[in-house]
Amino acid sequence: MTQATVQSEQSMTTAKADSLTAGLAPSAKNASELPKEILLKWLRDMQLIREFENRTMQAYQQAKIGGFCHIYTGQEAVAVGTIGCVNHDDPVVTAYRDHGHALARGMTPEACMAEMFGKVTGCAKGKGGSMHMFDRRNWLFGGHGIVSAQTPMGAGFAFATKYEHEVLGKTVDGGEAKKKVTLCYMGDGALDQGAFHEAQNMASLWGLPVIYILENNGYSMGTSINRHTANHENLIDRAKGYGMTGVQIDGLDIMNIYNEFKPIVDQCREESRPAFIDLKTYRYQGHSMSDPQKYRTKDEVDQYKDKDSIAKLASDLMEMGHLSEDDWKSMQKEIRDEVRAAIDAAEAADAPEDSELFTDVYANPEKNLSPTAEYRHGTKNPLM
Amino acid sequence: MTTLPMIDTDIHPAIVENPELPDFVAEHELPSRDGDRVIQFREALREAMSEEMRRDKRVFLLGEEVAEYNGAYKVSQGMLDEFGPERIIDTPISENGFAGMSISAAMMGLRPIVEFMSWSFSFVAADPILNNAPKMLYMSGGQFGCPVVFRGNDGAGGQLASTHSWCVEALYANVPGLKMAIPSNPYDAKGLLKTAILDPDPVFFLESERMLGDKAHVPEEEYYIPFGRARVAREGDAITLVSFGRPVNFCLDAAEKLAEEGIDVEVLDMRTIRPLDIDSIIESVKKTNQVLVVDQSWPFASIASEVVTQICERCFDWLDAPPQRLNTEDVPTPYAKGLEYNYLPNPDRIYDAVRSMVNA
Ligand SMILES: Cc1ncc(C[n+]2csc(CCOP(=O)(O)OP(=O)(O)O)c2C)c(N)n1
Ligand SMILES: [Mg+2]
């Protein structure tokens, strides 16, 4: 027990030691007042996700990645912008379209790619795959494959942080109690699950500091939002019906996300209240890697590509004098190299030993748990 | 007596390493089962939860009517007064929601106890309890465990008919990653529930509404019963009856009557289904050479099917006759009193089955 505590304490504090803000959200009211380094980091993170995802698609087509694989391009500003508004030890949980959140949280491209390649160096040792990204050190609690399964869990993380603050009186790593906010991401398809309504009801009833971030990309697989949810133009009224703050935000402009989202984070943290954010965004690729996209036109996709969030931030930064064309080019090149290196490393890494099949089933493996298998303790996770 | 150190504030999402487990003692070293501190099954459950909640502030109880109503079946009576509303939490009727919440609270290092008013109501929470809790450790590659206890009434109450009489053991025990305990008496209920709360894995703890009022001596001191250790509830050499939960008591009733007719049956109370103490079953079968598994779930792909399979795989040569199973009848649960009685395993059916297998 004590050994484990020490270990987690160390990893929590060292994980993002290189981060510009030492893991703390910036305090500026307006994104334009943020230090240049933070704005450039956003651009870098968004471009990293873009490049990573483009290479993920290639690798998938080369059959290096199996299973279902959901690409995040188009939505980069959402993960980077919202995660940029919280502290590093605020819990984050999301659905299966999770590569962007993992990278924005600080998971290395190598751990993320290796997971999809099914390698031991993957964030879950190759046991979770694309839809189940977990990173304890970076307070990422999944990657969940069942639509809306993560929404009651979001309330549960908020419950736990509130409990530690109010009942235990200490933080998870044994320090002074802090007020935390949980970010729980969801697709518009998750709006329609009963679990989400139960979660909102309890979060509001019990004053749980969780923010539901609806990544409203207009489609649940091939079903457009007007065909899958009632009164879809007025979703924030639902939140208000539960007594929660509800705000609609343009999710294509990261500076705007910061300006609108940051005050909500601060308020939820301070007042221990839930909120619901309808973040308008768009996905460039099909639902998963096997989607012929008969349900939307190329024109529609192109219209959104014209409003690309990365191009917008890059040009804003140039206008502000924070970035030159050359800087931008060399940043893109650096990222290309980084992702290529991640792919090479993932490729070179070992597949899990067959014996890994029977580890991590139980934290306390006992005799006779199975008639056919011998469960063992897991080998060390590369991220821990 | 086992005393564990006090834990009050130390929580972290790292619960999977070095789980704190009690030093389990041999069966004969446990406090005596005989004595005059006679309490009800429900009180034994309450005592187990309260002792662990006093020791470890990470433990809390949530469920429908557990606090102000004092528990739909009075299991948590008085706990609100002792522990307050922060730790004894009344929930809305949202099993999917609060079971899902408990999972993430457990991933964070808390120790939730979730009370289902009945396991019959757990199906609306199937996704969190089956798809998340037992798989979290595995799919996160060992990063996040899920130390949660789900507990509640399992099996037929009194004439509650089809929707309210589920025995979930066969359905749920199919899933790797979870553990399942099913006590048959107040003494074991306390010792097993305390172990369940300490265990770092998700534990499905099955009680029975029909047993909550059962009374027996339960020691006041703390003790922990290990998982995977069956108890010989009655010794005999004519045949082995393997059972778990409420039907163990039916086996003991039938055994009483059979003994009067010169048939000494051995009754094994499995106490946990995962892990399943197949070693004790084999040991008994080697002595009796005949076995009947008494199981309150439906027969098709039941716990009895599993036990019989394992017996055939592991000690076929020691059997004098095919192993038999006695399950709940393979129909939905009826309402009428007589029908319900005949539908369930009961002492008469067990008596008849043994008489047909053993020549006195
Ligand atoms: C409970 C459940 N039903 C169906 C599916 C299959 N499925 C996976 S993603 C998806 C669409 C969800 O769309 P949305 O929530 O909008 O997220 P997006 O893909 O747009 O990010 C469906 C139907 C599932 N994973 N879980
Ligand atoms: Mg969508």
Side-chain angles (χ1 to χ4, degrees), chain A residues 163 168 172 198 362-363 367, chain B residues 11 57 97 104 178-179 201 279:
Chain A
Y163 190 95
L168 300 182
V172 278
E198 297 184 15
Y362 290 95
K367 197 175 176 222
Chain B
I11 100 158
K57 273 184 133 178
S104 43
L178 60 79
K179 296 179 180 176
D201 294 303
D279 304 318

Side-chain angles (χ1 to χ4, degrees), chain A residues 75 96-97 186-190 214-221 223 225 228 281 283 287:
Chain A
Q75 303 182 205
Y96 48 84
R97 195 180 298 282
M186 54 188 283
D188 44 291
L214 169 64
E215 301 200 52
N216 191 346
N217 57 18
Y219 292 93
S220 169
M221 265 179 96
T223 310
I225 189 159
H228 78 69
T281 183
R283 71 167 148 74
H287 167 70

Side-chain angles (χ1 to χ4, degrees), chain A residues 65-91:
Chain A
I65 297 173
F68 289 148
C69 187
H70 309 84
I71 300 297
Y72 197 64
T73 50
Q75 303 182 205
E76 293 91 342
V78 180
V80 175
T82 51
I83 285 171
C85 291
V86 298
N87 300 332
H88 184 241
D89 58 0
D90 286 325

Side-chain angles (χ1 to χ4, degrees), chain B residues 58-336:
Chain B
R58 297 174 303 174
V59 183
F60 63 96
L61 173 68
L62 78 167
E64 290 152 18
E65 311 295 351
V66 297
E68 298 204 2
Y69 194 88
N70 265 323
Y73 296 95
K74 303 291 171 256
V75 172
S76 56
Q77 190 158 37
M79 289 178 72
L80 174 64
D81 291 340
E82 179 174 357
F83 299 105
E86 298 82 15
R87 296 178 71 197
I88 306 292
I89 303 164
D90 276 333
T91 64
I93 307 171
S94 304
E95 284 82 359
N96 190 359
F98 66 76
M101 278 186 54
S102 73
I103 285 161
S104 43
M107 288 169 79
M108 286 279 292
L110 297 182
R111 297 297 186 124
I113 303 171
V114 177
E115 177 173 310
F116 290 127
M117 205 179 268
S118 160
W119 277 97
S120 294
F121 312 146
S122 69
F123 300 121
V124 297
D127 185 57
I129 70 174
L130 300 180
N131 218 353
N132 285 332
K135 296 166 180 173
M136 201 56 74
L137 185 67
Y138 199 79
M139 71 176 168
S140 69
Q143 294 182 78
F144 294 104
C146 197
V148 57
V149 177
F150 299 111
R151 46 161 289 270
N153 291 315
D154 177 66
Q159 292 188 267
L160 299 179
S162 292
T163 58
H164 279 53
S165 304
W166 271 87
C167 292
V168 296
E169 44 270 47
L171 276 181
Y172 290 170
N174 189 242
V175 182
L178 60 79
K179 296 179 180 176
M180 186 178 280
I182 177 163
S184 71
N185 58 73
Y187 181 101
D188 289 343
K190 176 173 169 180
L192 288 170
L193 185 52
K194 284 173 68 69
T195 302
I197 296 168
L198 278 188
D199 196 276
D201 294 303
V203 179
F204 287 38
F205 197 89
L206 312 188
E207 300 151 14
S208 160
E209 185 200 327
R210 299 300 295 271
M211 292 199 298
L212 289 176
D214 287 4
K215 288 182 178 168
H217 168 71
V218 173
E220 194 171 0
E221 66 191 279
E222 295 198 42
Y223 57 95
Y224 294 86
I225 297 175
F227 285 0
R229 192 167 82 196
R231 184 174 84 90
V232 181
R234 184 186 177 109
E235 282 189 65
D237 53 17
I239 183 172
T240 302
L241 300 191
V242 174
S243 196
F244 36 85
R246 185 172 172 224
V248 169
N249 300 298
F250 303 153
C251 292
L252 291 171
D253 288 350
E256 200 77 24
K257 190 170 164 201
L258 289 158
E260 285 163 18
E261 297 167 18
I263 301 174
D264 283 320
V265 306
E266 180 141 302
V267 178
L268 279 187
D269 181 350
M270 298 316 295
R271 300 198 288 202
T272 61
I273 289 173
R274 256 189 197 251
L276 182 77
D277 184 4
I278 187 68
D279 304 318
S280 292
I281 296 176
I282 292 170
E283 195 184 311
S284 179
V285 168
K286 284 183 176 172
K287 180 171 75 173
T288 62
N289 312 109
Q290 283 225 75
V291 63
L292 172 70
V293 185
V294 180
D295 175 1
Q296 61 180 348
S297 50
W298 286 307
F300 199 99
S302 62
I303 306 298
S305 324
E306 178 57 37
V307 172
V308 168
T309 303
Q310 289 195 39
I311 290 170
C312 291
E313 287 166 346
R314 311 265 302 256
C315 58
F316 188 78
D317 290 345
W318 291 86
L319 292 167
D320 286 346
Q324 304 274 327
R325 58 177 157 169
L326 192 159
N327 285 82
T328 288
E329 296 293 2
D330 205 11
V331 296
T333 317
Y335 164 74

Side-chain angles (χ1 to χ4, degrees), chain A residues 26-34 255 258-260 262-263 266:
Chain A
S27 55
K29 284 235 163 359
N30 198 294
S32 60
E33 298 157 13
L34 285 169
M255 307 264 251
Y258 180 87
N259 295 345
E260 305 240 359
K262 185 67 193 345
D266 295 344

